[in-house]
Amino acid sequence: MENKVIDESRQGEALLLNVDKNIDKPAGRQVFIESYGCAMNFSDSEIVASILIEKGYSTTSDYKSADLILVNTCAIRENAEQRVRNRLKEFNVVKRHNPKLMVGVMGCMAERLKTQFLEQEKIVDIVVGPDAYRELPNLIETVEGGQKAVNVLLSREETYADISPVRLDSNGVTAFISIMRGCDNMCSFCVVPFTRGRERSRDPESIVAEAKLLFEQGYREVTLLGQNVDSYKAPPKYSPKGRTLNASDSPHSGELEGASISFSKLLEMVAQVSPDLRIRFSTSHPKDMTDDVLHIMAKYDNICKYIHLPIQSGNSRVLEMMNRGYKREWYLERIAAIRRIIPECGISTDIMTGFCSETEEEHRDTLSLMEEVKYDFAYMFAYSERPKTQAERKLEDDVPEEVKQRRLAEIVALQQKHSAERTKLGVGKVHRVLVERVSKKSDQQLSGRNSQNSVVVFDKHNFKPGDYVNVLAESCTVATLIGKAV
Ligand code: SAH
Ligand code: SF4
Ligand code: F3S
């Protein structure tokens, strides 16, 4: 069981979207898309929706009336996969009454299980991996022809850069932009390098163009997504208009500049789209996060002062076994750099407890690191062994489940305390809030976030989503500031 404090909106196990868009072809076929896992899956579902809309589909939020159900799956932990399997059982009830209904699985679990999925789950007609979404229309045709269809080829180039994603389940204010795909880091516990393939970065011009378009459409915040944004590196050759570069192209023509564009440079390019467009990004990697990135963040008001910097463990031996590429001291130095360069920065993390051979003392190192950093927020997990990973092949998953759960509970309790303390520091201060939506608790209140990513709730008056409002925080709960517009 996952603990309630874990905010499921970020990664693993979370049900992220449910789609209903007014597309102009209501007579066409309808697709229901459901996403589990991280923001990248959410973002991919938007790419998939674009591909299908192009082929005459419209999206629906009612799976019972859909012609096609697509489940974008996550494989990060065992229970993430179990959720998908349970959900497929529910879809199966509908399929029994409507044999024409097609069911496809996409994403990381599809990539991991490949054709085994068809054998294990009879309901599944289509298995499609994260780099093969362009093939979906063909796979659907195959199924209509009476066969099952699988494409799980990974690619070294695919970034879907030319596909303009439709925004699903959108508040019209915040949007994700994928800036890279895959991961080359090979943390020993992690399935992502196997399910998402090699790391590749998308060309910066298409990223900036997407940010501009979103801004013109009224969006006011973009989150740049990658498994390790700090290793973003623009492809050395890219051609924005689909043209291949040749020898006569000047190295100064702009198209070749990509070779030197790092994440800090990209961040600056996106920040310059408009001072009224806020920028966030995720995930930073402690081994690669440079001071350059921090200086760019400090330089631009519209880059949110918030960093998600996963630690995983506070003990250097465990970190080494995890193949994370940094030690405790290195990580703490990165935290010190953040505090030095961006004193007001919000910091959150991911913590994984009960990794192979982790001792009680090593667990206490994680707690003491938390005490040192005092995170604003954390996503906390018990280690779950994943097939094919280095840890599965070479290490023993030998921390008993009850020990993992007890350690997790201690970590969660400490984080609760820190979150409450950190949120409280915001009371009595004025926060610049980007309004995202009407508050879930009262339609007389609005909800948004400040630069540090804390949720702020306040009375509506005449404000609306997309407005920037200065809010004086008067009280708080563990994770939410409550105040009034000033
Ligand atoms: N790319 C990001 C994390 C992606 S996965 C990074 O490197 O930080 C999100 C989080 O899931 C990880 O940070 C880790 O805390 C957790 N996680 C990954 N594999 C896991 C596993 N096998 N068991 C439990 N938690 C895991
Ligand atoms: Fe997984 Fe590590 Fe890559 Fe993150 S950096 S996705 S934890 S391999
Ligand atoms: Fe899950 Fe794949 Fe994301 S395993 S966390 S959906 S990259």
Side-chain angles (χ1 to χ4, degrees), residues 11-12 36-41 73-76 108 191-192 195-196 227:
Q11 55 216 342
Y36 294 78
C38 63
M40 256 159 284
N41 257 12
T73 61
C74 173
I76 200 84
C108 292
V191 77
V192 172
T195 62
R196 294 266 164 176
Q227 291 297 351

Side-chain angles (χ1 to χ4, degrees), residues 11 76-77 189 227 310 312 324 350 352 381-382 384 386:
Q11 55 216 342
I76 200 84
R77 284 168 290 276
F189 52 80
Q227 291 297 351
Q312 313 301 357
R324 285 289 288 177
D350 291 349
M352 194 172 47
F381 313 100
S384 160
R386 307 310 291 135

